[in-house]
Amino acid sequence: MLSKNKIKFIQSLNRKKTREKEGVFLVEGNKLVLEAIASPFRVRLLIGTAEFFESHQLSSNVADELIECTSDEIRRASLQQAPQQAIAVVEMPSFQLKLNQLNKEFSLALDFIQDPGNLGTIIRIADWFGIRNLICSTNTADCFNPKVIQSSMGAIFRVQVHYLDLEKLLNEAKQSQLPVYGTFLEGENIYTSKLTSHGILILGNEGNGISPEVEKLVQQKLHIPSFALGTEGSESLNVASAASICCSEFKRRTC
């Protein structure tokens, strides 16, 4: 049986303040919960229906605490409108990033991305293109927001997300001669620009793009051209769509 206190605690993880205080985040849905169990992350609490536990033959050591409950109890604890059969409370990982880790790989950096759905999708895109490190400015949305977790579709368990002083990191990258790219409306055509297999690509805020402070540290400005006829096309792309196109072009040309 799921106690009222457990239900209250699970629902409280919708708040960043509580997540940070407790050092945990919420994972909902059968597929995502199974991904959490299979990952190196520590599962503090796993609740599920009898059908969920039986169909997946889970051992007792997959989580610190296991609770079998009814579908109604799942509904009362869930933050979703149509919950499935399982919910997990997972311990936040502790990652450390050093610049020398980035010297031989392609990484993404996010400058004040606000929308949780965009962030989760970008994490999923990074995972698809084999990008191991995603660097976020400290004012970017929280990657452990439940909406981000859902949008990442399990990629949160494979991509290391780092919150850092972006300007400081990019200054260090410049000193190490690590290429720094950024997406701009006035940038060079990405399809004809020279691209390297390593470096950092910065994606900016949904409404304002890359901040002036970070823009000063960009070595090469890139632009995804529109192929719309005339002047009736969209002004810009969604940041997650732009991330997907840019990652595809970098990987296509440098793999």
PDB file of all heavy atoms in Angstrom, residues 195-219:
ATOM      1  N   LEU A 195      33.594  22.546 -41.149  1.00  0.00           N
ATOM      2  CA  LEU A 195      33.266  22.069 -39.802  1.00  0.00           C
ATOM      3  C   LEU A 195      34.304  21.063 -39.336  1.00  0.00           C
ATOM      4  O   LEU A 195      34.858  20.320 -40.139  1.00  0.00           O
ATOM      5  CB  LEU A 195      31.878  21.410 -39.795  1.00  0.00           C
ATOM      6  CG  LEU A 195      30.712  22.241 -40.344  1.00  0.00           C
ATOM      7  CD1 LEU A 195      29.435  21.406 -40.340  1.00  0.00           C
ATOM      8  CD2 LEU A 195      30.519  23.524 -39.554  1.00  0.00           C
ATOM      9  N   THR A 196      34.555  21.037 -38.053  1.00  0.00           N
ATOM     10  CA  THR A 196      35.524  20.096 -37.487  1.00  0.00           C
ATOM     11  C   THR A 196      34.791  18.966 -36.753  1.00  0.00           C
ATOM     12  O   THR A 196      33.623  19.088 -36.404  1.00  0.00           O
ATOM     13  CB  THR A 196      36.456  20.817 -36.499  1.00  0.00           C
ATOM     14  OG1 THR A 196      35.663  21.420 -35.465  1.00  0.00           O
ATOM     15  CG2 THR A 196      37.267  21.897 -37.202  1.00  0.00           C
ATOM     16  N   SER A 197      35.509  17.893 -36.493  1.00  0.00           N
ATOM     17  CA  SER A 197      34.904  16.746 -35.807  1.00  0.00           C
ATOM     18  C   SER A 197      34.835  16.970 -34.299  1.00  0.00           C
ATOM     19  O   SER A 197      34.165  16.226 -33.588  1.00  0.00           O
ATOM     20  CB  SER A 197      35.718  15.479 -36.094  1.00  0.00           C
ATOM     21  OG  SER A 197      37.044  15.636 -35.648  1.00  0.00           O
ATOM     22  N   HIS A 198      35.551  17.986 -33.817  1.00  0.00           N
ATOM     23  CA  HIS A 198      35.526  18.298 -32.394  1.00  0.00           C
ATOM     24  C   HIS A 198      35.191  19.782 -32.218  1.00  0.00           C
ATOM     25  O   HIS A 198      35.343  20.575 -33.145  1.00  0.00           O
ATOM     26  CB  HIS A 198      36.877  17.973 -31.745  1.00  0.00           C
ATOM     27  CG  HIS A 198      38.007  18.796 -32.274  1.00  0.00           C
ATOM     28  ND1 HIS A 198      38.470  18.679 -33.570  1.00  0.00           N
ATOM     29  CD2 HIS A 198      38.755  19.774 -31.686  1.00  0.00           C
ATOM     30  CE1 HIS A 198      39.466  19.533 -33.756  1.00  0.00           C
ATOM     31  NE2 HIS A 198      39.654  20.213 -32.637  1.00  0.00           N
ATOM     32  N   GLY A 199      34.736  20.126 -31.047  1.00  0.00           N
ATOM     33  CA  GLY A 199      34.355  21.507 -30.790  1.00  0.00           C
ATOM     34  C   GLY A 199      33.078  21.589 -29.993  1.00  0.00           C
ATOM     35  O   GLY A 199      32.480  20.576 -29.621  1.00  0.00           O
ATOM     36  N   ILE A 200      32.642  22.823 -29.721  1.00  0.00           N
ATOM     37  CA  ILE A 200      31.427  23.071 -28.965  1.00  0.00           C
ATOM     38  C   ILE A 200      30.477  23.893 -29.819  1.00  0.00           C
ATOM     39  O   ILE A 200      30.861  24.933 -30.356  1.00  0.00           O
ATOM     40  CB  ILE A 200      31.735  23.834 -27.656  1.00  0.00           C
ATOM     41  CG1 ILE A 200      32.699  23.034 -26.767  1.00  0.00           C
ATOM     42  CG2 ILE A 200      30.445  24.133 -26.895  1.00  0.00           C
ATOM     43  CD1 ILE A 200      33.188  23.797 -25.553  1.00  0.00           C
ATOM     44  N   LEU A 201      29.247  23.432 -29.953  1.00  0.00           N
ATOM     45  CA  LEU A 201      28.221  24.172 -30.680  1.00  0.00           C
ATOM     46  C   LEU A 201      27.243  24.757 -29.668  1.00  0.00           C
ATOM     47  O   LEU A 201      26.658  24.029 -28.868  1.00  0.00           O
ATOM     48  CB  LEU A 201      27.469  23.260 -31.648  1.00  0.00           C
ATOM     49  CG  LEU A 201      26.242  23.882 -32.319  1.00  0.00           C
ATOM     50  CD1 LEU A 201      26.655  25.019 -33.258  1.00  0.00           C
ATOM     51  CD2 LEU A 201      25.428  22.830 -33.068  1.00  0.00           C
ATOM     52  N   ILE A 202      27.067  26.076 -29.712  1.00  0.00           N
ATOM     53  CA  ILE A 202      26.175  26.757 -28.771  1.00  0.00           C
ATOM     54  C   ILE A 202      24.827  27.029 -29.423  1.00  0.00           C
ATOM     55  O   ILE A 202      24.748  27.512 -30.551  1.00  0.00           O
ATOM     56  CB  ILE A 202      26.783  28.097 -28.315  1.00  0.00           C
ATOM     57  CG1 ILE A 202      28.193  27.876 -27.764  1.00  0.00           C
ATOM     58  CG2 ILE A 202      25.910  28.748 -27.255  1.00  0.00           C
ATOM     59  CD1 ILE A 202      28.975  29.155 -27.581  1.00  0.00           C
ATOM     60  N   LEU A 203      23.772  26.732 -28.679  1.00  0.00           N
ATOM     61  CA  LEU A 203      22.404  27.028 -29.093  1.00  0.00           C
ATOM     62  C   LEU A 203      21.821  28.019 -28.093  1.00  0.00           C
ATOM     63  O   LEU A 203      21.983  27.852 -26.880  1.00  0.00           O
ATOM     64  CB  LEU A 203      21.568  25.759 -29.125  1.00  0.00           C
ATOM     65  CG  LEU A 203      22.047  24.678 -30.113  1.00  0.00           C
ATOM     66  CD1 LEU A 203      21.458  23.332 -29.735  1.00  0.00           C
ATOM     67  CD2 LEU A 203      21.675  25.041 -31.531  1.00  0.00           C
ATOM     68  N   GLY A 204      21.148  29.055 -28.600  1.00  0.00           N
ATOM     69  CA  GLY A 204      20.691  30.129 -27.736  1.00  0.00           C
ATOM     70  C   GLY A 204      19.240  30.056 -27.318  1.00  0.00           C
ATOM     71  O   GLY A 204      18.485  29.171 -27.737  1.00  0.00           O
ATOM     72  N   ASN A 205      18.866  31.009 -26.510  1.00  0.00           N
ATOM     73  CA  ASN A 205      17.519  31.140 -25.964  1.00  0.00           C
ATOM     74  C   ASN A 205      16.444  31.173 -27.058  1.00  0.00           C
ATOM     75  O   ASN A 205      16.667  31.717 -28.138  1.00  0.00           O
ATOM     76  CB  ASN A 205      17.461  32.420 -25.123  1.00  0.00           C
ATOM     77  CG  ASN A 205      16.093  32.737 -24.611  1.00  0.00           C
ATOM     78  OD1 ASN A 205      15.359  33.498 -25.240  1.00  0.00           O
ATOM     79  ND2 ASN A 205      15.728  32.162 -23.489  1.00  0.00           N
ATOM     80  N   GLU A 206      15.282  30.615 -26.746  1.00  0.00           N
ATOM     81  CA  GLU A 206      14.194  30.493 -27.710  1.00  0.00           C
ATOM     82  C   GLU A 206      13.787  31.826 -28.341  1.00  0.00           C
ATOM     83  O   GLU A 206      13.485  31.892 -29.532  1.00  0.00           O
ATOM     84  CB  GLU A 206      12.965  29.865 -27.037  1.00  0.00           C
ATOM     85  CG  GLU A 206      13.119  28.402 -26.690  1.00  0.00           C
ATOM     86  CD  GLU A 206      13.666  28.151 -25.302  1.00  0.00           C
ATOM     87  OE1 GLU A 206      14.258  29.087 -24.700  1.00  0.00           O
ATOM     88  OE2 GLU A 206      13.525  27.029 -24.807  1.00  0.00           O
ATOM     89  N   GLY A 207      13.779  32.894 -27.550  1.00  0.00           N
ATOM     90  CA  GLY A 207      13.324  34.180 -28.074  1.00  0.00           C
ATOM     91  C   GLY A 207      14.436  35.136 -28.449  1.00  0.00           C
ATOM     92  O   GLY A 207      14.300  35.920 -29.403  1.00  0.00           O
ATOM     93  N   ASN A 208      15.548  35.064 -27.720  1.00  0.00           N
ATOM     94  CA  ASN A 208      16.613  36.059 -27.890  1.00  0.00           C
ATOM     95  C   ASN A 208      17.914  35.520 -28.472  1.00  0.00           C
ATOM     96  O   ASN A 208      18.842  36.286 -28.727  1.00  0.00           O
ATOM     97  CB  ASN A 208      16.909  36.720 -26.537  1.00  0.00           C
ATOM     98  CG  ASN A 208      15.690  37.403 -25.958  1.00  0.00           C
ATOM     99  OD1 ASN A 208      15.004  38.146 -26.653  1.00  0.00           O
ATOM    100  ND2 ASN A 208      15.389  37.132 -24.691  1.00  0.00           N
ATOM    101  N   GLY A 209      17.993  34.218 -28.666  1.00  0.00           N
ATOM    102  CA  GLY A 209      19.212  33.646 -29.227  1.00  0.00           C
ATOM    103  C   GLY A 209      20.357  33.643 -28.218  1.00  0.00           C
ATOM    104  O   GLY A 209      20.146  33.691 -27.001  1.00  0.00           O
ATOM    105  N   ILE A 210      21.560  33.593 -28.731  1.00  0.00           N
ATOM    106  CA  ILE A 210      22.757  33.562 -27.887  1.00  0.00           C
ATOM    107  C   ILE A 210      22.987  34.939 -27.273  1.00  0.00           C
ATOM    108  O   ILE A 210      22.895  35.955 -27.959  1.00  0.00           O
ATOM    109  CB  ILE A 210      23.974  33.105 -28.710  1.00  0.00           C
ATOM    110  CG1 ILE A 210      23.785  31.633 -29.126  1.00  0.00           C
ATOM    111  CG2 ILE A 210      25.281  33.278 -27.934  1.00  0.00           C
ATOM    112  CD1 ILE A 210      24.834  31.107 -30.082  1.00  0.00           C
ATOM    113  N   SER A 211      23.288  34.976 -25.987  1.00  0.00           N
ATOM    114  CA  SER A 211      23.474  36.243 -25.278  1.00  0.00           C
ATOM    115  C   SER A 211      24.719  36.968 -25.789  1.00  0.00           C
ATOM    116  O   SER A 211      25.670  36.345 -26.275  1.00  0.00           O
ATOM    117  CB  SER A 211      23.614  35.988 -23.777  1.00  0.00           C
ATOM    118  OG  SER A 211      24.770  35.210 -23.506  1.00  0.00           O
ATOM    119  N   PRO A 212      24.746  38.308 -25.692  1.00  0.00           N
ATOM    120  CA  PRO A 212      25.903  39.098 -26.165  1.00  0.00           C
ATOM    121  C   PRO A 212      27.212  38.681 -25.500  1.00  0.00           C
ATOM    122  O   PRO A 212      28.264  38.680 -26.148  1.00  0.00           O
ATOM    123  CB  PRO A 212      25.525  40.532 -25.778  1.00  0.00           C
ATOM    124  CG  PRO A 212      24.037  40.533 -25.719  1.00  0.00           C
ATOM    125  CD  PRO A 212      23.656  39.176 -25.212  1.00  0.00           C
ATOM    126  N   GLU A 213      27.156  38.306 -24.207  1.00  0.00           N
ATOM    127  CA  GLU A 213      28.369  37.907 -23.495  1.00  0.00           C
ATOM    128  C   GLU A 213      28.963  36.626 -24.069  1.00  0.00           C
ATOM    129  O   GLU A 213      30.183  36.498 -24.219  1.00  0.00           O
ATOM    130  CB  GLU A 213      28.065  37.706 -22.003  1.00  0.00           C
ATOM    131  CG  GLU A 213      27.590  38.942 -21.270  1.00  0.00           C
ATOM    132  CD  GLU A 213      26.136  39.297 -21.519  1.00  0.00           C
ATOM    133  OE1 GLU A 213      25.390  38.435 -22.061  1.00  0.00           O
ATOM    134  OE2 GLU A 213      25.745  40.431 -21.168  1.00  0.00           O
ATOM    135  N   VAL A 214      28.088  35.694 -24.397  1.00  0.00           N
ATOM    136  CA  VAL A 214      28.546  34.422 -24.968  1.00  0.00           C
ATOM    137  C   VAL A 214      28.909  34.600 -26.441  1.00  0.00           C
ATOM    138  O   VAL A 214      29.867  33.989 -26.933  1.00  0.00           O
ATOM    139  CB  VAL A 214      27.455  33.340 -24.788  1.00  0.00           C
ATOM    140  CG1 VAL A 214      27.817  32.063 -25.545  1.00  0.00           C
ATOM    141  CG2 VAL A 214      27.256  33.036 -23.308  1.00  0.00           C
ATOM    142  N   GLU A 215      28.185  35.446 -27.146  1.00  0.00           N
ATOM    143  CA  GLU A 215      28.453  35.690 -28.569  1.00  0.00           C
ATOM    144  C   GLU A 215      29.901  36.127 -28.803  1.00  0.00           C
ATOM    145  O   GLU A 215      30.533  35.750 -29.808  1.00  0.00           O
ATOM    146  CB  GLU A 215      27.505  36.756 -29.111  1.00  0.00           C
ATOM    147  CG  GLU A 215      27.708  37.068 -30.595  1.00  0.00           C
ATOM    148  CD  GLU A 215      26.752  38.115 -31.121  1.00  0.00           C
ATOM    149  OE1 GLU A 215      25.839  38.544 -30.373  1.00  0.00           O
ATOM    150  OE2 GLU A 215      26.911  38.506 -32.298  1.00  0.00           O
ATOM    151  N   LYS A 216      30.457  36.897 -27.893  1.00  0.00           N
ATOM    152  CA  LYS A 216      31.840  37.383 -28.031  1.00  0.00           C
ATOM    153  C   LYS A 216      32.850  36.243 -28.070  1.00  0.00           C
ATOM    154  O   LYS A 216      33.964  36.411 -28.574  1.00  0.00           O
ATOM    155  CB  LYS A 216      32.184  38.314 -26.869  1.00  0.00           C
ATOM    156  CG  LYS A 216      31.383  39.613 -26.840  1.00  0.00           C
ATOM    157  CD  LYS A 216      31.693  40.407 -25.580  1.00  0.00           C
ATOM    158  CE  LYS A 216      30.822  41.655 -25.480  1.00  0.00           C
ATOM    159  NZ  LYS A 216      31.063  42.392 -24.209  1.00  0.00           N
ATOM    160  N   LEU A 217      32.466  35.094 -27.550  1.00  0.00           N
ATOM    161  CA  LEU A 217      33.384  33.955 -27.454  1.00  0.00           C
ATOM    162  C   LEU A 217      33.177  32.936 -28.577  1.00  0.00           C
ATOM    163  O   LEU A 217      33.890  31.947 -28.646  1.00  0.00           O
ATOM    164  CB  LEU A 217      33.207  33.275 -26.091  1.00  0.00           C
ATOM    165  CG  LEU A 217      33.478  34.192 -24.889  1.00  0.00           C
ATOM    166  CD1 LEU A 217      33.020  33.535 -23.598  1.00  0.00           C
ATOM    167  CD2 LEU A 217      34.958  34.541 -24.809  1.00  0.00           C
ATOM    168  N   VAL A 218      32.206  33.206 -29.437  1.00  0.00           N
ATOM    169  CA  VAL A 218      31.953  32.309 -30.575  1.00  0.00           C
ATOM    170  C   VAL A 218      32.974  32.593 -31.677  1.00  0.00           C
ATOM    171  O   VAL A 218      33.159  33.729 -32.090  1.00  0.00           O
ATOM    172  CB  VAL A 218      30.521  32.505 -31.114  1.00  0.00           C
ATOM    173  CG1 VAL A 218      30.310  31.695 -32.393  1.00  0.00           C
ATOM    174  CG2 VAL A 218      29.500  32.101 -30.057  1.00  0.00           C
ATOM    175  N   GLN A 219      33.618  31.555 -32.153  1.00  0.00           N
ATOM    176  CA  GLN A 219      34.649  31.712 -33.189  1.00  0.00           C
ATOM    177  C   GLN A 219      34.077  31.627 -34.596  1.00  0.00           C
ATOM    178  O   GLN A 219      34.622  32.206 -35.530  1.00  0.00           O
ATOM    179  CB  GLN A 219      35.733  30.637 -32.993  1.00  0.00           C
ATOM    180  CG  GLN A 219      36.440  30.725 -31.645  1.00  0.00           C
ATOM    181  CD  GLN A 219      37.214  29.473 -31.324  1.00  0.00           C
ATOM    182  OE1 GLN A 219      37.573  28.697 -32.210  1.00  0.00           O
ATOM    183  NE2 GLN A 219      37.463  29.231 -30.048  1.00  0.00           N
TER     184      GLN A 219
END
